[in-house]
Amino acid sequence: MKLNSKTKQGQKGAAAIEYALLASLIALAIIVAVTAMSGQLSTVFDKVRTALGG
């Protein structure tokens, strides 16, 4: 019984680590995408400001 209980706890711990890794990879992908888009967004705003005479 104790061995079965420890195995289940180990599986839960492994699943938690896998979810944490997955969440961190998704967060990293979002950060990279936002960083890449920020330069393009800045360019768009500069063009709008220039077009408005600012």
Side-chain angles (χ1 to χ4, degrees):
M1 281 275 193
K2 289 184 181 180
L3 180 61
N4 191 16
S5 175
K6 288 182 182 180
T7 303
K8 286 183 181 180
Q9 288 176 353
Q11 289 175 351
K12 287 181 183 178
I17 291 171
E18 290 171 358
Y19 284 126
L21 287 172
L22 185 60
S24 63
L25 287 175
I26 291 171
L28 181 63
I30 290 171
I31 291 169
V32 169
V34 168
T35 302
M37 295 293 280
S38 67
Q40 293 174 355
L41 189 58
S42 177
T43 303
V44 169
F45 281 124
D46 287 341
K47 288 180 180 179
V48 170
R49 182 179 43 189
T50 302
L52 293 175

